[in-house]
Amino acid sequence: MTQEPETVLCGRMYRGGELKYTEVGITDGKIVTVGSLVSGGEDRIELGSSMTVLPGFMDPHVHFRDPGMTQKETFSTGSMSALCGGVTCVLDMPNTKPPVTDIDTLMRKKAAVAGRSYTDYGLFAALTKGCRASLLAPYVPAFKLFMGSTTGNILFNDDSEIPDVMADVARTGKVVSVHAEDDDLIAKGIEEKCCQDHLRDRPAEAEYSALRRLARYSGSNRINICHCTNAPQAEEAHRLGFTTEVAMHHLTFFTGRYESALYKVNPPIRDKVSRDGLRELFRRGGIDMFGSDHAPHTLDEKSADFDSAPGGIPGVETQIPMAAEMVRSGEIPLELLVSMGAENPGRIFSQPKGRIEPGYDADFAIFDMRRVTEIDASKLHSRPDSPLTAGCARCSPIPL
Ligand code: DOR
Ligand code: ZN
Ligand code: ZN
């Protein structure tokens, strides 16, 4: 006799490309049955017909700053922020303090954040010269390679050293998420006063160069290009067999209009033509995943002169509601929101997440698409003085 599920969730759910009334049986946090009538369930949750039930979203790119920079964010504030934005799983980047480049530091970070997250999570390790990827692999969802300098000091951009490490990673089968700006093409030393100066110093050519240098791994490694800023870059990444991520700030902002240090980010906000091209490619389904690149800094740091302000924009809480608003307004289809925010990250990072199907984790994002509100930065759950979210003052449906 098959056991009855502990809980049954009933409502209008997204499955197989459409929304339909569905009953889902859940035991031990896993989906065990899916159908139009599921019996049992001590605990039966009936959602009204106005609710839209989507798979819980996965953000494969956050910087929660814990340990070491908890004045900017903690795992608790970051993951609460994620949850309130419909994100039920995050992958946290390794540029915390100390940076996660070896097994001891990884284990210490695991212990430090244990029991403090409101969502599921995985912790990246960074690739560095001589790092032991095969030793780290069982404990990480994926690796990070920083080819361009940014927050944290884990730049690794030397073609006499990267290939050995990539060969080691290839044997583990794990994805390498790459910050693909070639540091040799990033200008340094001239004072920057605004986002246009930052763009001058970090041209798209730095991204194309990084891709050309990564091409040699196209048959051997699983490579994911983080935060694509322009359409030719994302298209070339796909030609090479790489997967792609996009952040809401690159789909939204452009230089000339958005110039203060609040918008300073790496890779930089580009010009309007690049932004429009990227957004067009995204609308056509030409990018695999959303990755918020949630990178909070304190308001004090962001209020310093432009040149010394750190790069990074928060976004884990606003990304999915903003994309849901694009669905509501007809800019993108619901399928694209779900594939980019849930199905593809689950598949690419080999997690049983992102689909409302038996065997998958029972993670859901429940929206009331009729309730639309303006994003109010003061109500976000990220550390309160993180001042900017991509698209503040834009409208978005509220995840419940
Ligand atoms: O602007 C950025 N900020 N880009 C990155 O790659 C890192 C991030 C951070 O950690 O602050
Ligand atoms: Zn990056
Ligand atoms: Zn990042």
Side-chain angles (χ1 to χ4, degrees):
M1 201 183 86
T2 48
Q3 268 192 328
E4 296 202 327
E6 287 165 3
T7 304
V8 179
L9 180 68
C10 315
R12 215 164 60 98
M13 303 201 191
Y14 182 90
R15 284 187 66 231
E18 55 182 342
L19 287 170
K20 54 188 170 207
Y21 179 79
T22 306
E23 300 195 355
V24 174
I26 299 163
T27 298
D28 287 339
K30 287 273 182 193
I31 297 174
V32 288
T33 35
V34 180
S36 50
L37 280 177
V38 172
S39 61
E42 287 283 288
D43 184 17
R44 211 175 159 84
I45 304 165
E46 309 264 358
L47 296 166
S49 59
S50 63
M51 301 301 170
T52 301
V53 185
L54 305 176
F57 290 94
M58 177 167 161
D59 189 337
H61 191 150
V62 302
H63 298 265
F64 280 173
R65 312 302 193 195
D66 201 342
M69 290 175 282
T70 48
Q71 73 282 10
K72 299 176 195 265
E73 190 77 287
T74 69
F75 225 91
S76 303
T77 55
S79 59
M80 176 55 85
S81 191
L83 200 64
C84 293
V87 172
T88 51
C89 179
V90 296
L91 303 185
D92 187 51
M93 286 298 162
N95 58 340
T96 34
K97 262 193 197 155
V100 181
T101 57
D102 62 84
I103 195 86
D104 283 354
T105 311
L106 175 65
M107 290 308 163
R108 274 199 292 274
K109 179 168 175 178
K110 266 189 191 290
V113 304
R116 293 175 46 227
S117 183
Y118 291 95
T119 62
D120 288 343
Y121 60 91
L123 306 178
F124 273 88
L127 298 179
T128 50
K129 181 178 174 175
C131 77
R132 312 276 303 276
S134 45
L135 221 74
L136 290 157
Y139 308 101
V140 296
F143 291 96
K144 180 71 185 275
L145 171 61
F146 285 99
M147 295 175 78
S149 46
T150 186
T151 307
N153 197 13
I154 33 180
L155 179 67
F156 189 35
N157 191 38
D158 188 333
D159 280 341
S160 68
E161 294 164 348
I162 297 175
D164 282 352
V165 173
M166 291 300 264
D168 197 13
V169 176
R171 285 187 284 274
T172 73
K174 297 274 171 174
V175 171
V176 180
S177 277
V178 187
H179 181 116
E181 282 184 288
D182 182 345
D183 207 57
D184 294 344
L185 276 81
I186 296 174
K188 296 166 189 104
I190 316 163
E191 193 191 351
E192 296 177 357
K193 292 204 163 74
C194 59
C195 282
Q196 264 168 353
D197 292 351
H198 196 52
L199 174 58
R200 171 202 69 205
D201 288 350
R202 302 185 79 119
E205 180 51 31
E207 294 177 316
Y208 305 149
S209 169
L211 275 183
R212 284 195 296 274
R213 291 176 43 217
L214 289 166
R216 66 197 285 180
Y217 308 109
S218 113
S220 53
N221 285 80
R222 298 176 64 203
I223 291 189
N224 175 46
I225 304 299
C226 298
H227 39 52
C228 290
T229 67
N230 64 95
Q233 173 205 20
E235 287 171 323
E236 178 59 15
H238 278 160
R239 265 194 294 280
L240 292 168
F242 303 161
T243 57
T244 51
E245 257 175 49
V246 73
M248 205 48 87
H249 47 259
H250 290 124
L251 288 171
T252 307
F253 303 138
F254 49 88
T255 51
R257 172 91 174 271
Y258 305 96
E259 283 297 332
S260 84
L262 294 181
Y263 302 92
K264 182 175 178 182
V265 67
N266 303 319
I269 298 301
R270 299 211 180 278
D271 62 17
K272 187 165 185 309
V273 173
S274 302
R275 195 286 308 256
D276 290 351
L278 183 71
R279 192 145 174 152
E280 181 52 35
L281 181 71
F282 148 72
R283 281 192 199 118
R284 286 193 274 116
I287 297 176
D288 296 301
M289 298 180 277
F290 293 116
S292 70
D293 199 6
H294 178 81
H297 296 284
T298 65
L299 189 52
D300 271 359
E301 292 166 314
K302 282 295 213 179
S303 312
D305 63 292
F306 189 95
D307 203 53
S308 38
I313 298 178
V316 71
E317 189 166 347
T318 44
Q319 161 176 271
I320 296 302
M322 282 181 70
E325 169 58 17
M326 293 178 196
V327 173
R328 206 187 61 85
S329 70
E331 183 177 355
I332 60 168
L334 179 60
E335 289 86 324
L336 193 62
L337 165 63
V338 177
S339 65
M340 288 183 66
E343 294 168 351
N344 292 350
R347 176 176 48 78
I348 290 166
F349 290 97
S350 309
Q351 304 297 319
K353 292 183 178 298
R355 287 176 186 273
I356 302 176
E357 297 294 342
Y360 280 73
D361 288 356
D363 304 339
F364 304 92
I366 303 169
F367 285 80
D368 184 343
M369 296 294 271
R370 296 167 316 172
R371 279 182 64 204
V372 177
T373 187
E374 280 196 1
I375 294 168
D376 176 349
S378 70
K379 295 213 172 86
L380 297 173
H381 298 77
S382 182
R383 290 227 58 157
D385 63 355
S386 291
L388 180 76
T389 58
C392 54
R394 296 216 149 204
C395 298
S396 59
I398 312 173
L400 297 175

